[in-house]
Amino acid sequence: MSMDHDSELDDLEFFQKHVSDRFSDLLSSTIEDPSSEPLLSIAWLRKLLDDFLCCEAEFKAVLLMGRDPSQISKPPLDKLIPEFLERTIKALDLCNAVTLGIDAVKNLQRLAEIAVSSLEQAPIGDGQVRRAKKALSSLVTAMLHEDKDGGIVKGTERNRSFGRRGGNNAAANNKGNFRSLSWNMARNWSAAKQIHAMSSNLYTPRGGESTGLAMPVYIMSSVLVFVMWTLVAAIPCQERNGLGTHSPFPRQLAWAQPMIGLQEKIAEEWKKKEKKGSVGLLEEMQKMDKVGQSLIDFAESFQFPAEAEKLEEVKGQVEELAEICTKMEEGLEPLQQQIREVFHRVVRSRAEFLLVLEQAGKLSAPPM
């Protein structure tokens, strides 16, 4: 029995260390290495999702692998596991909302590409400038749109499933358990409220629970909340008012330190976003907004023929905008695919936990 307990402590220690190491790498890349991918860039978000999938697989191994199902049905897990599974349902909804948001960002990319193609022509004339200004004005207006009613996401709404064709029937057969398989978000649905609901009953294990299986459940719940909060902050989503009020993680726990560091940096950016009114913290969107505003200023004061010095300056800005579009073209689709992978992983893991709980229930049932 002692060996089993020692093994369980080792598993828990390794899990905490690996979570800490992964988020430390994410944090240090934004502080110590200027050449690395910036915080909340497409590439950085992809690394975040990779780390989430690794943490999720290790969490499942710690909690389920080689374990008697009856252990999962005993206190405190008999309460903590159902709460965790309820968080995963909300996470599925958020995955759908973020995927819709990425579609909206792709629309911004297309507007920017129109501006680039217009301003790359030589010589630049009134027609090209008017076309670029129209596209850029639409882009900047969309990015400044209040996201209370869905913002730029609203124009890309579709009723579609992450699953195979005919997914609507599959969802119906699941009796509503996976309502998040549909991309059609309700009008009064709120990303911020989903995040707050996920963290509202998230309490740090105390006493003997801090060295037992309650701790990995708490850690994975914290990771899930943080990852979803970060995605919603970066990508345009429906109704994000109050998102800056984030869930505090316990500073006394070593594994939480890098997550707290990242949370504070993102929350600071969110405060700036709220003052400015921009629609998302995605690094490429922030750069696109800045360059777009500058090119609109050029377009509004344009007179043919333009000064050579001004044209050279604009050429540099157009090249920068083209580079941003290239990063979006290369990165947004893989990011969307990763979110689908997270969605399906969460669905599969939830089913595995429900199966174990069902087995535990049969084991504990009195004989007929």
Side-chain angles (χ1 to χ4, degrees):
M1 188 70 182
S2 176
M3 286 181 63
D4 287 344
H5 183 64
D6 290 345
S7 175
E8 189 173 284
L9 289 176
D10 288 343
D11 289 344
L12 176 56
E13 186 178 337
F14 281 127
F15 178 55
Q16 292 184 71
K17 183 181 185 306
H18 292 163
V19 169
S20 177
D21 288 347
R22 289 189 177 99
F23 282 91
S24 291
D25 287 345
L26 284 168
L27 178 60
S28 62
S29 69
T30 67
I31 298 174
E32 299 168 7
D33 186 2
S35 65
S36 66
E37 298 299 339
L39 178 71
L40 299 179
S41 64
I42 294 170
W44 188 90
L45 289 175
R46 291 191 63 194
K47 189 173 188 310
L48 173 70
L49 292 177
D50 278 339
D51 288 344
F52 170 80
L53 290 169
C54 290
C55 290
E56 197 275 343
E58 195 167 345
F59 161 70
K60 206 160 52 178
V62 169
L63 213 67
L64 296 181
M65 192 174 291
R67 196 173 297 283
D68 186 336
S70 64
Q71 287 183 271
I72 305 299
S73 63
K74 295 176 181 176
L77 294 185
D78 62 332
K79 180 185 177 190
L80 297 178
I81 295 295
E83 288 177 351
F84 173 73
L85 295 180
E86 185 58 33
R87 287 186 198 102
T88 64
I89 287 289
K90 293 177 173 61
L92 295 178
D93 281 339
L94 289 164
C95 284
N96 288 325
V98 171
T99 303
L100 267 176
I102 292 176
D103 278 344
V105 177
K106 288 178 182 177
N107 287 341
L108 297 179
Q109 175 197 331
R110 284 188 277 272
L111 290 169
E113 286 169 348
I114 292 170
V116 168
S117 68
S118 299
L119 297 177
E120 278 180 336
Q121 298 180 36
I124 296 177
D126 289 329
Q128 291 95 329
V129 171
R130 279 197 301 271
R131 186 166 183 257
K133 181 184 175 184
K134 183 179 179 182
L136 291 169
S137 296
S138 296
L139 184 154
V140 169
T141 300
M143 291 181 71
L144 290 173
H145 198 293
E146 287 293 329
D147 54 7
K148 183 176 181 181
D149 297 319
I152 59 174
V153 178
K154 209 169 183 183
T156 63
E157 279 187 4
R158 288 179 286 175
N159 187 9
R160 201 164 117 186
S161 167
F162 275 143
R164 295 171 297 198
R165 294 188 183 280
N168 288 341
N169 292 333
N173 292 336
N174 275 324
K175 299 178 182 177
N177 284 341
F178 296 117
R179 60 187 180 278
S180 302
L181 285 172
S182 168
W183 276 8
N184 194 21
M185 314 308 293
R187 181 179 291 275
N188 62 349
W189 186 88
S190 163
K193 287 179 181 177
Q194 293 287 101
I195 297 289
H196 292 154
M198 289 174 73
S199 58
S200 63
N201 59 347
L202 190 55
Y203 302 111
T204 311
R206 301 186 182 280
E209 291 183 3
S210 63
T211 58
L213 292 177
M215 183 54 83
V217 177
Y218 173 74
I219 294 173
M220 194 63 221
S221 292
S222 300
V223 170
L224 182 66
V225 171
F226 174 78
V227 169
M228 292 300 139
W229 177 78
T230 301
L231 288 174
V232 169
I235 307 293
C237 284
Q238 182 172 310
E239 180 55 71
R240 298 182 297 175
N241 290 341
L243 192 67
T245 310
H246 51 81
S247 174
F249 297 119
R251 292 185 176 274
Q252 72 272 21
L253 298 176
W255 60 265
Q257 293 301 316
M259 210 180 296
I260 291 169
L262 286 167
Q263 195 177 48
E264 289 174 346
K265 288 170 72 72
I266 294 168
E268 187 61 35
E269 290 301 312
W270 184 263
K271 287 178 185 175
K272 296 177 188 175
K273 175 260 175 200
E274 286 188 316
K275 287 180 182 176
K276 187 180 176 186
S278 60
V279 81
L281 297 183
L282 187 70
E283 171 72 7
E284 287 78 5
M285 286 178 64
Q286 298 294 308
K287 287 184 175 180
M288 184 178 280
D289 182 32
K290 184 178 178 182
V291 177
Q293 294 278 9
S294 181
L295 288 173
I296 287 174
D297 291 343
F298 161 75
E300 287 177 342
S301 61
F302 176 79
Q303 286 185 334
F304 183 84
E307 297 176 3
E309 185 179 341
K310 187 64 178 176
L311 287 175
E312 194 62 29
E313 181 186 338
V314 167
K315 181 184 176 183
Q317 292 173 337
V318 171
E319 287 174 353
E320 184 180 354
L321 189 58
E323 184 181 343
I324 295 167
C325 289
T326 299
K327 285 187 176 181
M328 286 184 166
E329 182 66 31
E330 294 174 351
L332 286 175
E333 188 62 34
L335 177 62
Q336 209 166 36
Q337 289 171 359
Q338 266 184 304
I339 292 171
R340 291 191 184 104
E341 184 181 353
V342 167
F343 181 97
H344 287 301
R345 174 77 71 83
V346 170
V347 168
R348 286 195 302 270
S349 296
R350 187 175 185 277
E352 290 175 40
F353 274 104
L354 288 172
L355 180 61
V356 171
L357 289 174
E358 184 182 349
Q359 291 171 344
K362 288 178 180 177
L363 291 171
S364 61
M368 297 298 289

